[in-house]
Amino acid sequence: MMKKQSLLVLLLAMFLVLGGCAPSASNMTAEDRAIAMLSSAGVTVTAQAMEAARTQQEELAVLYARAGIEYDVDSDVELAHLALLHLGMGTFADDGSWTPSSSEVYAFDAEVFDIENMYALFLQGVQAIVPEVTIAEVQEDLSGMRTGTPLAGLLGLSWDEGTRRVSFLCNGHPYEKELTNYGDWFDAAMIDYMNEVLLAEGCEHRLHVVSSDYDQLVILIYGTQKQAHMLRVLLGAV
């Protein structure tokens, strides 16, 4: 059913994008098909993101081949997934600061390297894709975090127990959330909380995870439930 739905959406997208004159799928490259798929769900992919996705797809094909694993280098679904990741991951500078790269998609690794600023970075990503809000004065309170053993902190090990709090202003209004501490892993409860904040602020849409529930790399959009479901179907995440 998923493949039939994806094909139907893809054909519709090609018809709309090409002004009602859709060529046969055999005449389209994987890049063309991926762009049409994402366009049908309201996401515009930059040429840079698609080029990076294609390069990564070819590199993955080589790695899988060496391991004796079959990998479809012309998979438009995989290419669309990689393009969304490249579009939404943003860029890190040498000093560790992060700059978003899209106003439509925000993507991040749920295992975060910057533990102390985990949710500040998340809120920066949310700010990039939600035009109705301004987020400021983000503070992270790590005092509730603790290690599993008394010597863990002295040994430089990451915290993996307890809680942590994040506070911020959204459109000038104060918000605060206590989250479970998972060490360097992101607590997905923060996404649900931000949707509560968006509701309180009268925002038109909500945040939606369109990547698989089992994927460590999280892809978020700000839009309708219908748009999110379409993307999840196209990406095979349902």
Side-chain angles (χ1 to χ4, degrees):
M1 179 62 68
M2 183 200 74
K3 291 183 179 179
K4 290 182 179 179
Q5 288 177 306
S6 298
L7 180 58
L8 179 61
V9 173
L10 174 58
L11 292 175
L12 177 60
M14 289 189 294
F15 183 85
L16 294 175
V17 171
L18 299 174
C21 183
S24 67
S26 60
N27 293 330
M28 300 181 71
T29 65
E31 290 91 335
D32 292 333
R33 297 194 301 271
I35 290 172
M37 288 168 62
L38 294 176
S39 177
S40 72
V43 178
T44 304
V45 181
T46 64
Q48 182 180 15
M50 185 57 68
E51 182 180 354
R54 185 46 141 171
T55 298
Q56 184 176 358
Q57 192 178 44
E58 292 172 349
E59 292 172 349
L60 286 171
V62 173
L63 293 175
Y64 278 113
R66 290 174 180 172
I69 302 174
E70 185 177 351
Y71 179 82
D72 184 4
V73 73
D74 286 322
S75 169
D76 46 17
V77 173
E78 177 69 2
L79 194 58
H81 177 254
L82 293 174
L84 282 180
L85 287 175
H86 283 285
L87 187 66
M89 289 293 280
T91 57
F92 281 95
D94 293 338
D95 61 1
S97 61
W98 181 76
T99 302
S101 53
S102 173
S103 60
E104 298 181 21
V105 181
Y106 169 44
F108 64 96
D109 191 332
E111 187 175 19
V112 184
F113 81 92
D114 189 351
I115 299 175
E116 296 183 357
N117 298 295
M118 182 183 299
Y119 297 101
L121 288 171
F122 169 76
L123 290 171
Q124 189 180 351
V126 170
Q127 172 76 84
I129 63 174
V130 182
E132 295 105 312
V133 300
T134 298
I135 299 173
E137 298 187 25
V138 180
Q139 300 290 329
E140 298 206 43
D141 180 0
L142 312 183
S143 61
M145 297 169 62
R146 61 181 184 274
T147 56
T149 65
L151 294 178
L154 297 176
L155 296 174
L157 302 179
S158 63
W159 298 293
D160 56 8
E161 292 184 1
T163 60
R164 56 189 294 166
R165 304 188 73 88
V166 57
S167 61
F168 56 95
L169 297 180
C170 183
N171 292 343
H173 303 134
Y175 293 93
E176 184 174 350
K177 175 67 173 174
E178 182 177 81
L179 299 154
T180 301
N181 172 40
Y182 297 115
D184 60 353
W185 287 92
F186 181 85
D187 183 358
M190 185 61 180
I191 298 175
D192 295 332
Y193 179 67
M194 278 309 301
N195 277 329
E196 295 178 14
V197 172
L198 298 182
L199 177 63
E201 292 298 322
C203 296
E204 182 178 5
H205 302 305
R206 300 291 175 265
L207 298 171
H208 300 280
V209 177
V210 297
S211 48
S212 168
D213 295 338
Y214 305 101
D215 198 335
Q216 179 176 322
L217 299 177
V218 181
I219 302 175
L220 278 178
I221 66 162
Y222 172 70
T224 65
Q225 183 67 42
K226 181 179 179 181
Q227 180 189 14
H229 179 69
M230 181 179 292
L231 275 170
R232 286 178 63 84
V233 169
L234 291 174
L235 298 175
V238 294

